[in-house]
């Protein structure tokens, strides 16, 4: 960077984390300044804190068509996923020890499943097609009398593909298996109703919807038994011990209100940004392929493969140009662990594993930023292909 010149920075990694909304920050600061009581205390300071948690719980429940008592506050999406999987595995082990999930889940689900396998559970990992979707027939074939849990993510964090959630819910009606979905990427942009979709457990994280990091929730249907992972006080109806993170819960509440209010406008905007990026890349004569599905897709996530380039070079060059994106893979010491999602979609030999980039949009993203990004990509791709 030239001395004295401030480079414009463009953030297109909202699927990794999103900036907090100014209204969320204001709400949290107000609470941190004025409401410090422990929600479990019975005096006025405690009751005031408890009131804010109750308001948040009611709003979160309404946002997915649930009851207030079915919302369990957690430390984020990972904890919600772990609580769902281990909580069900322990509570229902007398009914069976078979679990079904997919090959493209977030590691919070996949690594939990690997741990459950070591504990004597049997896990079936469903394959996906080239767009990243499972086939209902595969799920049907995998379903057994001793299946106690089916965990299928709502929308994929790397490629944006949305799974056939309603069909899965219908298939599991009348079966003993509990249906869990990791909705961390979908919540706030998709219309989710747990009753319409027959969802029993649903995981959400606040920092993906312009709320604070370190807070999320698990929706657990009242008929589902969940063995707790934490032991101590009687918070969250004895399901999750520990003093509640009041300021973050209030911030989460505000983020949800904003997301609900702006959802349809935001969705249209994201779809337009996606179309603009694709169009501008075509105009810049950039060769690329879309990983995933445009038909069944989260509006804010777009994963593209750029033949003849490498992920590391693309990420570094884009970062130098002021554009923040990700590969959806972990970059370590110059080597890239291939994305398990792309491996499941295209196989271990596919060159898409080494040249794919994820772009993800948020409320701060503008069309101008997308056009500028496309220009920078065109320059970088030409340079890398020489």
């Amino acid at each position: 960077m030239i001395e004295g010149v401030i480079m414009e920075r463009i953030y297109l990694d909202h699927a990794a984390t999103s900036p907090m909304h100014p209204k969320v920050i204001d709400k949290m600061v107000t609470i941190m300044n004025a409401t410090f009581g422990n929600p479990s205390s019975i005096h006025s300071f405690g009751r005031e804190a408890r009131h804010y948690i109750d308001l948040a719980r009611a709003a979160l429940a309404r946002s997915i068509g649930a009851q207030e008592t079915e919302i369990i506050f957690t430390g984020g999406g990972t904890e919600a996923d772990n609580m769902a999987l281990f909580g069900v595995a322990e509570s229902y082990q007398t009914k069976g020890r078979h679990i079904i999930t997919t090959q493209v889940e977030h590691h919070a689900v996949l690594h939990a499943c690997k741990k459950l396998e070591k504990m004597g559970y049997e896990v079936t990992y469903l394959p996906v097609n080239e767009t990243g979707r499972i086939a209902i027939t595969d799920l049907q074939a995998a379903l057994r009398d001793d299946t106690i849990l089916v965990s299928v993510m709502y929308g994929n964090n790397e490629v944006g593909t949305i799974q056939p959630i309603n069909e899965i819910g219908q298939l599991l009606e009348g079966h003993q298996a509990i249906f869990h979905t990791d909705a961390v990427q979908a919540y706030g942009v998709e219309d989710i109703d747990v009753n319409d979709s027959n969802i029993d457990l649903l995981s959400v994280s606040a920092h993906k919807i312009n709320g604070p990091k370190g807070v999320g929730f698990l929706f657990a249907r009242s008929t589902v038994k969940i063995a707790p992972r934490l032991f101590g006080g009687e918070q969250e109806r004895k399901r999750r011990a520990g003093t509640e993170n009041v300021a973050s819960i209030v911030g989460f509440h505000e983020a949800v209100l904003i997301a609900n209010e702006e959802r349809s406008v935001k969705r249209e905007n994201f779809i337009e940004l996606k179309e603009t990026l694709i169009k501008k890349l075509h105009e810049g004569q950039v060769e690329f392929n879309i990983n995933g599905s445009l038909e069944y897709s989260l509006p804010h996530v777009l994963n593209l493969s750029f033949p003849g380039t490498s992920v590391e070079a693309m990420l570094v060059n884009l970062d130098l140009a002021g554009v923040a994106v990700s590969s959806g893979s972990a970059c370590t010491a110059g080597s890239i662990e291939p994305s398990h999602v792309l491996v499941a979609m295209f196989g271990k030999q596919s060159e898409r594993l080494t040249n794919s980039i994820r772009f993800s949009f948020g409320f701060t993203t503008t069309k101008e930023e997308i056009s500028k990004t496309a220009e920078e990509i065109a320059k970088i791709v030409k340079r890398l292909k020489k």
Side-chain angles (χ1 to χ4, degrees):
M1 199 185 298
I2 303 159
E3 200 66 41
V5 175
I6 297 172
M7 181 171 65
E8 181 204 356
R9 292 195 305 165
I10 297 170
Y11 186 73
L12 296 179
D13 201 16
H14 291 260
T17 194
S18 61
M20 270 165 68
H21 196 286
K23 285 183 184 172
V24 170
I25 297 169
D26 291 346
K27 262 286 186 342
M28 288 179 70
V29 170
T30 304
I31 290 292
M32 285 191 276
N33 276 320
T35 312
F36 62 85
N38 187 319
S40 298
S41 302
I42 59 170
H43 49 59
S44 63
F45 291 87
R47 290 198 310 273
E48 192 183 339
R50 164 71 47 210
H51 175 63
Y52 282 112
I53 290 176
D54 291 344
L55 288 176
R57 199 187 304 279
L60 269 47
R62 272 196 308 276
S63 73
I64 55 168
Q67 297 166 34
E68 290 170 40
T69 52
E70 297 175 321
I71 300 294
I72 306 166
F73 284 111
T74 67
T78 295
E79 189 196 335
D81 282 343
N82 274 255
M83 190 178 187
L85 272 70
F86 290 104
V88 165
E90 189 180 320
S91 297
Y92 293 89
Q93 57 188 325
T94 55
K95 292 189 168 191
R97 294 171 80 87
H98 181 235
I99 294 164
I100 298 172
T101 188
T102 80
Q103 293 175 3
V104 295
E105 296 298 306
H106 188 276
H107 283 128
V109 168
L110 289 179
H111 290 169
C113 284
K114 291 294 176 201
K115 175 68 176 169
L116 285 164
E117 284 182 289
K118 286 180 183 155
M119 290 162 65
Y121 290 83
E122 194 187 335
V123 183
T124 299
Y125 299 90
L126 299 174
V128 293
N129 63 17
E130 283 214 341
T131 70
R133 261 167 83 90
I134 64 158
I136 288 291
T137 48
D138 286 344
L139 173 56
Q140 209 162 4
L143 209 54
R144 308 189 321 214
D145 290 345
D146 64 339
T147 306
I148 53 168
L149 177 69
V150 173
S151 181
V152 178
M153 71 186 341
Y154 206 108
N156 189 270
N157 52 302
E158 287 192 29
V159 296
T161 302
I162 293 174
Q163 296 298 343
I165 297 298
N166 288 351
E167 291 93 318
I168 296 168
Q170 280 164 11
L171 178 66
L172 296 178
E173 218 175 339
H175 192 283
Q176 70 162 8
I178 305 292
F179 179 23
H180 167 250
T181 185
D182 173 339
V184 167
Q185 286 297 342
Y187 183 76
V189 287
E190 295 297 321
D191 287 319
I192 299 173
D193 188 302
V194 291
N195 300 311
D196 287 353
S197 304
N198 288 321
I199 294 165
D200 298 307
L201 296 164
L202 177 136
S203 307
V204 170
S205 183
H207 77 102
K208 307 292 187 181
I209 60 159
N210 313 113
K213 292 172 182 63
V215 65
F217 75 75
L218 175 68
F219 154 74
R221 197 173 284 288
S222 56
T223 51
V224 175
K225 290 201 292 281
I226 290 277
R229 313 303 321 135
L230 296 173
F231 301 89
E234 300 196 350
Q235 291 90 348
E236 299 302 301
R237 301 167 74 84
K238 301 184 182 176
R239 295 168 300 187
R240 197 233 188 215
T243 303
E244 298 90 341
N245 182 350
V246 183
S248 288
I249 287 170
V250 168
F252 193 3
H253 179 191
E254 186 65 22
V256 168
L257 294 181
I258 295 165
N260 285 345
E261 205 178 295
E262 299 176 351
R263 187 187 295 123
S264 55
V265 173
K266 202 162 68 172
R267 280 182 62 82
E268 280 171 32
N269 183 39
F270 291 159
I271 291 164
E272 207 175 318
L273 292 173
K274 201 183 264 197
E275 288 168 352
T276 301
L277 183 54
I278 291 168
K279 181 169 163 267
K280 294 285 180 190
L281 289 173
H282 280 311
E283 285 172 7
Q285 295 178 321
V286 177
E287 189 193 345
F288 68 92
N289 298 301
I290 295 169
N291 297 327
S293 158
L294 282 181
E295 187 186 356
Y296 303 107
S297 177
L298 296 171
H300 65 298
V301 178
L302 179 63
N303 193 304
L304 301 177
S305 147
F306 297 97
T309 69
S310 81
V311 173
E312 294 101 321
M314 284 293 285
L315 291 180
V316 170
N317 278 281
L318 279 166
D319 191 39
L320 289 170
V323 181
V325 292
S326 79
S327 63
S329 320
C331 305
T332 46
S335 73
I336 281 206
E337 184 74 19
S339 151
H340 68 285
V341 175
L342 296 178
V343 168
M345 286 163 66
F346 303 112
K348 284 184 178 153
Q349 305 310 314
S350 173
E351 66 164 59
R352 293 195 193 207
L353 272 52
T354 58
N355 64 26
S356 294
I357 301 286
R358 179 186 69 187
F359 303 86
S360 48
F361 321 124
F363 81 102
T364 56
T365 314
T366 64
K367 258 182 156 176
E368 290 70 38
E369 287 181 332
I370 296 296
S371 298
K372 176 88 167 63
T373 299
E375 279 170 32
E376 293 299 337
I377 291 169
K379 284 187 222 163
I380 294 164
V381 170
K382 281 194 184 88
R383 213 162 50 230
L384 294 179
K385 278 183 154 185
K386 268 184 185 171

